[in-house]
């Protein structure tokens, strides 16, 4: 068989749109992005015919055919010839002509170090991904190291995991080929991966960005747990964050000024984590527009500029997204009152009791709680559904712009963890409130609030305590199973039959929100905290008594050094 003819060295900037595919999809996509002005590192390509030349020169085709034949028969017999094939590819020397071309390419690049990346001809299509299956070798500095890295990339084409993946996809292993891309290596302060759509959650309206400090090799290989953020594709608002990497915060605390001339970067704006996320998101959407499909983009930030290291289309995720995947649950309040796993009997009482308590409140604004999900169990514990809470909040005209965390008292998010939750509109339940019905309900609602004054609330608590003590006393007696069932029914009737159980806390919440709004409007920048200061230290709030008692204990200890 005639060996393929060698050609002159080809740089990324020289690959045209009419390329015949000999450089692989990875290199050709980067060449296209580079031509459109994207920040792609400089590099040159070793076409796929060089691997064919290497295999023919050293007589390795029989090992390929043997591995493929044994793989088709099932079992593990293919592993032997495949391992021998990899060993021979790595150990056999490169063609002299290719060695001279590599040396010339490195000299022309003039880079301190390069990254040698595989660019398989079958990888990263719209159907098959191959993400992470083929090797990349970083920090390559000499001609000899580059030659070794090229052979390592070629050998990864025949790794066991790549072989298994091709076999599962029905790709003929006798016809696979690989080009190699040699790029100037970016000295990354922060790097990561950006997904133009959420492949795990199957959301087509969100981007997902993962980032780590330094090189992204640990992230791509799965060795590092990244900081992860989800952003809205429509306005690039940050919907949620997960994880925390102090190293990232340390780097960004330096607030490097962005470099002018880089796509999607405003030189006048300071750089913090959220701004970095938005710049990566814009770059990802621009790559999608340029390449015609949502992209999985590997990127690196060198302290001045975001570089696109590679871009591949996201393969179809398929299937309808389950309802549960979009739900956000919280055990705020419930975690204090019912901290343990609930038994089936307890749940059979707790769920209808909670629904009955909220039903009376929501009925005032025309919401039927039977049509929505209020509470559920997560790992056996009681949780409230935040989607429902936000959906109700967004459906009431006068409070739809208020933050749910503020309405529940503020500081609902752990500042040390840095986690935030913002639920997209498509995951909110459909709750429609008639404005006319709401206006007609306003007088009744005002009367309802006036009827649930603090003094009446104290009287209600006394009655509730008395009934609770009576029930506790009955439960301690020797009673029959039938009497115990009647006791449970009576307990249920007390806590679910009177919506006043929830009315007084609701009126208190409304009162505080009114105070907070007045303070913010009239007292300028200090108003945000004054409402909290005005109610701090109030006695008679049972949930606050423990904190006040601890404060008293600390004062006593300070007065008695011994």
């Amino acid at each position: 068989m005639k060996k393929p003819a060698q050609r002159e060295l080809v740089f990324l900037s020289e690959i045209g749109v009419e390329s015949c595919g000999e450089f692989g999809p990875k290199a050709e996509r980067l060449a296209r992005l580079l031509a459109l002005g994207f920040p792609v590192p400089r590099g040159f390509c070793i076409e796929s015919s060089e691997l064919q030349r290497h295999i023919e020169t050293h007589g390795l085709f029989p090992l390929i055919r043997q591995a493929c034949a044994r793989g088709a028969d099932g079992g593990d017999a293919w592993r032997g010839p495949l391992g021998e094939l990899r060993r021979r590819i790595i150990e056999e020397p490169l063609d002299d002509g290719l060695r001279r071309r590599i040396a010339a390419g490195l000299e022309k690049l003039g880079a301190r170090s390069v990254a040698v990346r595989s660019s398989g001809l079958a990888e990263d299509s719209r159907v098959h991904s191959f993400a992470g299956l083929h090797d990349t070798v970083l920090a390559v500095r000499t001609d000899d190291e580059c030659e070794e890295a090229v052979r390592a990339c070629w050998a990864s084409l025949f790794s066991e995991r790549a072989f298994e993946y091709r076999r599962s996809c029905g790709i003929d292993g006798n016809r696979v080929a690989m080009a190699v891309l040699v790029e100037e290596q970016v000295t990354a302060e922060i790097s990561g991966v950006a997904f133009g759509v959420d492949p795990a959650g199957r959301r087509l309206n969100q981007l997902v960005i993962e980032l780590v400090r330094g090189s992204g090799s640990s992230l791509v290989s799965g060795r590092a747990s990244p900081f992860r953020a989800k952003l809205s594709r429509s306005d690039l608002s940050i919907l949620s964050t997960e994880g925390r990497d102090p190293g990232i915060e340390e780097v960004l605390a330096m607030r490097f000024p962005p470099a002018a001339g880089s796509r999607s970067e405003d030189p006048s704006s300071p750089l913090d984590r959220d701004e970095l996320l938005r710049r990566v998101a814009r770059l990802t959407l621009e790559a999608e527009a340029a390449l015609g499909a949502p992209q999985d983009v590997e990127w690196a930030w060198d302290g001045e500029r975001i570089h696109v290291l590679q871009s591949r289309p996201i393969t179809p995720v398929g299937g309808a997204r389950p309802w549960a995947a979009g739900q956000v649950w919280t055990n705020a309040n419930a975690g204090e009152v019912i901290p343990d796993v609930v038994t089936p009997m307890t749940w059979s009482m707790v769920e209808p009791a909670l629904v009955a308590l909220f039903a009376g409140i929501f009925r005032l604004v025309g919401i039927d709680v039977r049509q929505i999900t209020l509470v559920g169990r997560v790992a056996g514990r009681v949780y409230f559904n935040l989607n429902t809470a936000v959906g109700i909040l967004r459906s009431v005209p006068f409070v739809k712009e208020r933050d749910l965390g503020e309405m529940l008292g503020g500081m609902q998010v752990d500042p040390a963890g840095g986690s935030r939750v913002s639920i997209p509109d498509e995951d909110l339940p459909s709750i429609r409130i008639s404005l006319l019905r709401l206006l007609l309900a306003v007088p009744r609602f005002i009367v309802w609030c006036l009827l649930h004054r603090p003094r009446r609330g104290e009287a209600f608590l006394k009655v509730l305590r008395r009934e609770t003590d009576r029930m506790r006393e009955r439960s301690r007696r020797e009673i029959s199973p039938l009497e115990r069932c009647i006791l449970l029914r009576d307990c249920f009737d007390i806590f679910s039959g009177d919506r006043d159980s929830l009315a007084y806390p609701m009126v208190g919440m409304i009162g505080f929100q009114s105070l907070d709004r007045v303070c913010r409007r009239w007292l300028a920048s200090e108003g945000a905290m004054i409402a909290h200061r005005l109610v701090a230290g109030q006695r008679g709030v049972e949930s606050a008594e423990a904190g006040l008692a601890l404060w008293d204990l600390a004062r006593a200890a300070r007065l008695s050094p011994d």
Side-chain angles (χ1 to χ4, degrees):
M1 182 183 296
K2 184 179 179 181
K3 293 181 181 179
Q6 284 191 326
R7 58 187 294 177
E8 293 299 318
L9 196 66
V10 178
F11 274 73
L12 275 178
S13 57
E14 299 168 343
I15 298 177
V17 178
E18 70 283 354
S19 169
C20 298
E22 67 268 37
F23 302 110
K26 181 184 297 181
E28 290 166 7
R29 271 192 299 272
L30 286 177
R32 185 173 174 185
L33 291 175
L34 180 63
L36 292 172
F38 283 78
V40 176
R42 297 178 305 132
F44 62 88
C45 301
I46 299 171
E47 61 272 24
S48 59
S49 58
E50 290 296 343
L51 173 57
Q52 181 184 356
R53 178 189 302 277
H54 190 71
I55 288 173
E56 289 184 358
T57 298
H58 301 292
L60 304 181
F61 270 121
L63 288 172
I64 297 176
R65 288 191 288 266
Q66 188 178 4
C68 291
R70 292 184 180 180
D73 293 338
D76 294 334
W78 51 269
R79 297 182 189 273
L82 202 66
E84 176 64 14
L85 175 61
R86 290 196 302 274
R87 185 187 67 80
R88 293 282 303 280
I89 288 175
I90 291 173
E91 290 181 354
E92 299 292 356
L94 296 183
D95 178 87
D96 288 341
L98 178 58
R99 295 180 63 197
R100 287 192 294 271
R101 293 168 66 205
I102 289 174
L106 292 174
E107 183 178 2
K108 186 174 180 179
L109 273 182
R112 291 168 121 190
S113 64
V114 296
V116 181
R117 305 180 185 277
S118 55
S119 183
L121 269 61
E123 72 179 59
D124 299 346
S125 67
R126 292 179 183 267
V127 180
H128 306 303
S129 172
F130 284 89
L133 290 183
H134 299 148
D135 283 357
T136 291
V137 184
L138 302 177
V140 175
R141 290 180 171 83
T142 67
D143 296 358
D144 290 341
E145 288 178 356
C146 190
E147 292 174 21
E148 291 176 7
V150 169
R151 292 195 295 265
C153 288
W154 284 345
S156 70
L157 183 64
F158 302 100
S159 68
E160 292 186 358
R161 57 182 182 172
F163 184 87
E164 284 275 36
Y165 182 73
R166 287 194 297 270
R167 190 169 61 162
S168 68
C169 296
I171 298 173
D172 186 356
N174 288 290
R175 297 176 178 270
V176 293
M178 175 182 284
V180 176
L181 172 62
V182 180
E183 283 184 297
E184 182 177 11
Q185 184 163 326
V186 175
T187 304
E189 296 280 353
I190 295 172
S191 52
V193 180
F195 301 92
V197 297
D198 181 359
R202 294 179 236 174
R203 299 175 186 272
L204 301 182
N205 62 339
Q206 293 184 14
L207 299 101
V208 178
I209 300 176
E210 298 179 343
L211 53 152
V212 295
R213 183 175 185 178
S215 166
S217 58
S218 59
L219 171 60
V220 176
S221 65
R223 297 193 307 272
S225 297
F227 174 86
R228 180 180 293 106
K230 293 185 179 181
L231 292 82
S232 167
R233 282 174 58 96
S234 59
D235 60 4
L236 301 187
S237 60
I238 298 173
L239 302 175
S240 66
T241 60
E242 179 183 334
R244 183 169 182 263
D245 187 337
I248 294 173
E249 302 297 336
E250 180 183 336
V251 170
L252 290 174
M254 300 171 66
R255 303 178 76 86
F256 289 99
S262 178
R263 285 179 70 95
S264 305
E265 297 188 5
D266 178 5
S268 64
S269 62
L271 187 62
D272 57 17
R273 188 188 67 193
D274 290 357
E275 179 60 22
L276 177 64
L277 289 169
R278 281 189 284 269
R279 292 182 188 180
V280 171
R282 283 193 288 268
L283 204 58
T284 303
L285 292 179
E286 290 171 0
E288 174 182 322
L291 298 174
Q295 297 293 301
D296 163 5
V297 176
E298 289 185 30
W299 57 273
W301 179 67
D302 63 4
E304 294 183 348
R305 196 181 194 195
I306 299 169
H307 300 265
V308 177
L309 305 181
Q310 68 179 55
S311 183
R312 60 172 69 88
I314 296 176
T315 51
V317 291
R321 182 170 174 269
W323 172 86
Q327 303 305 297
V328 180
W329 301 86
T330 177
N331 67 343
N333 297 325
E336 299 176 13
V337 180
I338 314 175
D340 298 319
V341 172
V342 295
T343 64
M345 187 188 75
T346 301
W347 179 244
S348 71
M349 296 185 64
V350 167
E351 182 188 25
L354 288 173
V355 170
L357 287 173
F358 282 97
I361 305 296
F362 293 151
R363 197 178 297 120
L364 291 171
V365 291
I367 297 175
D368 185 358
V369 297
R370 294 172 300 179
Q371 306 300 320
I372 54 182
T373 302
L374 283 174
V375 292
R377 285 176 292 175
V378 178
R381 290 177 167 82
V382 178
Y383 276 69
F384 287 99
N385 187 284
L386 267 184
N387 300 60
T388 296
V390 174
I392 293 172
L393 188 68
R394 293 289 179 266
S395 63
V396 179
F398 309 113
V399 296
K400 61 167 55 179
E401 300 304 323
R402 297 304 304 274
D403 179 78
L404 181 64
E406 286 185 14
M407 294 190 70
L408 294 176
M411 301 303 290
Q412 301 296 312
V413 174
D414 175 17
S419 296
R420 307 181 295 201
V421 173
S422 177
I423 303 173
D425 290 343
E426 69 272 10
D427 285 336
L428 297 178
S430 178
I431 299 172
R432 294 184 179 179
I433 296 179
S434 166
L435 184 58
L436 177 61
R437 184 170 181 175
L438 189 61
L439 291 174
L440 293 175
V442 168
R444 183 175 57 169
F445 186 72
I446 293 173
V447 172
W448 180 80
C449 290
L450 293 174
L451 288 175
H452 292 89
R453 298 186 304 274
R455 188 168 297 176
R456 286 194 63 188
E458 293 172 3
F460 171 76
L461 283 176
K462 289 180 181 178
V463 173
L464 194 61
R465 286 194 185 97
R466 186 170 62 247
E467 290 294 326
T468 302
D469 292 341
R470 185 173 62 86
M471 292 292 178
R472 184 179 291 114
E473 184 61 31
R474 285 174 60 187
S475 69
R476 290 171 178 168
R477 301 174 191 164
E478 293 281 342
I479 58 178
S480 68
L482 178 59
E483 290 174 313
R484 192 166 296 279
C485 289
I486 294 173
L487 174 63
L488 288 172
R489 186 198 62 192
D490 292 344
C491 289
F492 178 82
D493 290 342
I494 288 174
F495 290 104
S496 65
D498 193 339
R499 67 188 185 192
D500 283 349
S501 299
L502 194 61
Y504 295 106
M506 289 288 294
V507 172
M509 187 183 302
I510 293 169
F512 178 77
Q513 287 297 313
S514 301
L515 174 66
D516 183 54
R517 180 168 291 186
V518 168
C519 290
R520 288 173 185 267
R521 180 174 296 177
W522 290 355
L523 302 176
S525 60
E526 296 183 1
M529 292 304 300
I530 287 180
H532 292 273
R533 292 174 186 167
L534 287 173
V535 300
Q538 296 293 306
R539 298 285 177 175
V541 181
E542 291 197 15
S543 60
E545 289 297 329
L548 294 170
L550 187 62
W551 180 33
D552 290 338
L553 184 63
R555 291 172 60 193
R558 189 175 296 113
L559 295 173
S560 178
D562 293 340

